[in-house]
Every structure is written in C-alpha cells, then in structure tokens.
Amino acid sequence: MLLPSSATIHPAKCVLLSLLQNSNGIYTGFIKVQMELCRPPQTSPNSGKLSPSSNGCMNTLHISSTNTVGEVIEALLKKFLVTESPAKFALYKRCHREDQVYACKLSDREHPLYLRLVAGPRTDTLSFVLREHEIGEWEAFSLPELQNFLRILDKEEDEQLQNLRRRYAAYRHKLQEALREVWKPD
C-alpha cells in the first residue's frame, strides 16, 4: 500500500516505529496488539506455546502496510497455535483523546500498520486490541432452544406480513373506490 501524499511521515517517526520502506513503497514494521480475551482460546494440544489467555497480554507482530486486519488476526492466532476460527475475533483500535478512551472495531479491509504509521509512534495515542466478538447471551442456549426462537420469530414475521398485506389491500380498495367516485360519468 502506498501512502497518500496527505499523510505526513517524519523520518524520526519511522525510526521510532522500526519501520522500513521497501523499494516498492510498501512499509514493513512492528505493531503491538493487546489481548483482551474473556476466556482462554482453544489451542493445539501439543503446541508447546503459552496460551494468550492472560488478560492484557501484549504481543508484537511484524507486518507490512498491505496486511489487512483479517490477516493480522490470523497471524496472531497462528502465532499461538489457536485452533478457533479467526471469525470469532475482532481487532479494535483504541484512541486516547483528552482523557477519553475510544475503542472502535476495525473492518477487515483496514491496514493496521498504515494506521500506526499515520498516528505516529505513541501508543498512548493509538493502540490495538484483540477481542472476541461480542456474542451476547445467545451462547447460554442450546441448539434446540435457538431453533425454537427462530420458529417463533418466523411465525411473528409471517403474522406481521399478513397484517401489512391486509392493511394495504384495504387501502388499495379505498383508493379504487375514491377513484371510481371521481371518474364517474355524469
């Protein structure tokens, strides 16, 4: 990924971030990702690696400016031999502004190294966090219960559609009557 001309990159920042620009204009460097996982992920039984289970564990990853969020998530999971699907995880950027902390989920098409490069070297300005997708309370239900919820929702949806069709049929009938009254030959 080539940086747009509007991005101001200072050589001092590149040194602090340990970034290198290749001859093709692509940057390579390191980003730090904090792991904020609710539960330890499933890892390969014979991995021999430590599980990234400790909340707040910071990991460094070497990537290029062309790597997307999805690729960064896959690389982090591969680094720890996590067997769970990358789709279960999301990468967030954490921004600090005026004593406020904002966390924003990154889309799979964004490029973390590019964001780090534009933000500068200070991790108190921008940092990255790996979290599990917020699944909510649905995990507590069994598959038959979830299927029953879907049946109930489908039934409610059908009832709503029937009500809507009846309302519009009645409205169409009234409009047709009104048009007949207006177009009645004298």
Side-chain angles (χ1 to χ4, degrees):
M1 161 184 272
L2 295 174
L3 295 174
S5 59
S6 62
T8 54
I9 306 302
H10 303 289
K13 284 185 180 181
C14 292
V15 171
L16 291 173
L17 290 171
S18 301
L19 294 174
L20 296 173
Q21 184 178 19
N22 299 336
S23 59
N24 57 3
I26 295 174
Y27 284 85
T28 59
F30 294 91
I31 62 168
K32 290 185 178 185
V33 180
Q34 184 174 357
M35 309 290 262
E36 288 185 0
L37 306 177
C38 298
R39 57 184 173 73
Q42 296 174 358
T43 56
S44 178
N46 300 323
S47 67
K49 293 208 175 201
L50 293 174
S51 170
S53 60
S54 58
N55 200 13
C57 175
M58 189 69 74
N59 294 286
T60 303
L61 200 60
H62 188 259
I63 61 172
S64 79
S65 56
T66 59
N67 287 117
T68 62
V69 166
E71 292 169 333
V72 168
I73 292 171
E74 286 178 20
L76 279 168
L77 298 180
K78 185 177 179 182
K79 182 177 181 179
F80 289 101
L81 301 174
V82 173
T83 58
E84 293 182 60
S85 167
K88 290 185 176 183
F89 300 91
L91 192 66
Y92 290 77
K93 67 178 178 180
R94 184 183 288 153
C95 303
H96 302 262
R97 289 188 205 115
E98 301 173 9
D99 297 330
Q100 295 287 327
V101 178
Y102 305 94
C104 177
K105 181 180 169 191
L106 296 172
S107 77
D108 283 338
R109 296 180 309 273
E110 292 190 74
H111 303 271
L113 188 64
Y114 174 76
L115 295 172
R116 163 72 13 226
L117 191 61
V118 173
R122 296 182 54 182
T123 56
D124 61 340
T125 304
L126 174 75
S127 58
F128 298 103
V129 179
L130 182 72
R131 294 181 183 161
E132 295 158 298
H133 278 295
E134 295 188 12
I135 297 169
E137 298 175 11
W138 295 108
E139 281 185 335
F141 296 99
S142 67
L143 189 59
E145 289 172 317
L146 291 171
Q147 290 170 335
N148 192 40
F149 288 144
L150 286 175
R151 277 194 295 275
I152 291 169
L153 289 173
D154 286 340
K155 183 180 176 184
E156 288 177 359
E157 183 181 15
D158 289 341
E159 289 172 1
Q160 290 291 329
L161 281 171
Q162 288 173 2
N163 288 337
L164 194 60
R165 286 185 179 123
R166 278 194 295 271
R167 277 182 39 211
Y168 279 101
Y171 183 67
R172 181 184 309 121
H173 180 71
K174 288 180 184 178
L175 272 175
Q176 289 172 340
E177 283 181 6
L179 284 172
R180 276 190 236 121
E181 291 291 320
V182 171
W183 294 104
K184 244 186 200 177
D186 289 332

